[in-house]
Amino acid sequence: MTENAWRRATRRWARWRDRVRDRPALDIAYRMVVAVVGLAVLVVGIITIPYPGPGWAIVFLGLAILATEFSWAGKVLHAVRARYDRFMAWFSTQPHWVRGIGVLFTAAVVVATLWVLGAVGWVAALVGIETPWLKSPLGLGG
């Protein structure tokens, strides 16, 4: 998308949003939809942080969605992003054994959540292992 096309799209969006703001009931409904969608994306991101993949990117996306309508979310987004960047810069300078502990901790969190959600017991049942301690404490899975 060219810069001119981006500007036109932004102006078009701003005009549409202004028309929505002029109608209080529609504005409240729109803000509620943004809040629900933004919070849902944020929760999914928080849940997926320890898993391989884009957990933090999803958190930032959820906060960005919320920041389109709520100024507090923009402040939180900038603060969380700054802390994330500082932590990752610090973590990358640590010795291999510290990074290894981080990897082991992340793996432990992943395995523990998969166990609680019943995935470990389900996979064990698929391969014919029927050990009670592999079953989810919540009664989920196989």
Side-chain angles (χ1 to χ4, degrees):
M1 183 178 259
T2 66
E3 191 170 331
N4 266 347
W6 182 256
R7 283 188 191 144
R8 284 193 309 272
T10 302
R11 281 195 304 266
R12 205 169 35 246
W13 174 261
R15 283 192 304 269
W16 178 85
R17 187 62 186 102
D18 287 340
R19 286 193 305 270
V20 169
R21 275 193 197 96
D22 291 341
R23 302 171 71 189
L26 186 58
D27 187 44
I28 289 171
Y30 176 78
R31 289 173 58 90
M32 287 173 56
V33 168
V34 169
V36 168
V37 170
L39 286 173
V41 171
L42 180 61
V43 166
V44 167
I46 290 170
I47 290 170
T48 61
I49 285 172
Y51 295 98
W56 278 107
I58 297 170
V59 168
F60 297 141
L61 177 62
L63 286 171
I65 291 168
L66 290 168
T68 63
E69 289 300 314
F70 305 102
S71 61
W72 62 265
K75 293 173 187 169
V76 171
L77 173 61
H78 292 297
V80 169
R81 181 62 198 251
R83 284 184 183 220
Y84 172 82
D85 289 342
R86 277 196 313 269
F87 176 79
M88 292 311 291
W90 171 83
F91 191 72
S92 67
T93 64
Q94 297 307 302
H96 290 301
W97 67 270
V98 172
R99 288 186 274 172
I101 290 172
V103 169
L104 289 175
F105 176 74
T106 300
V109 168
V110 169
V111 169
T113 55
L114 290 174
W115 171 67
V116 168
L117 295 174
V120 173
W122 179 75
V123 170
L126 281 177
V127 295
I129 301 171
E130 294 294 332
T131 307
W133 61 270
L134 290 177
K135 295 185 191 286
S136 167
L138 302 177
L140 302 173

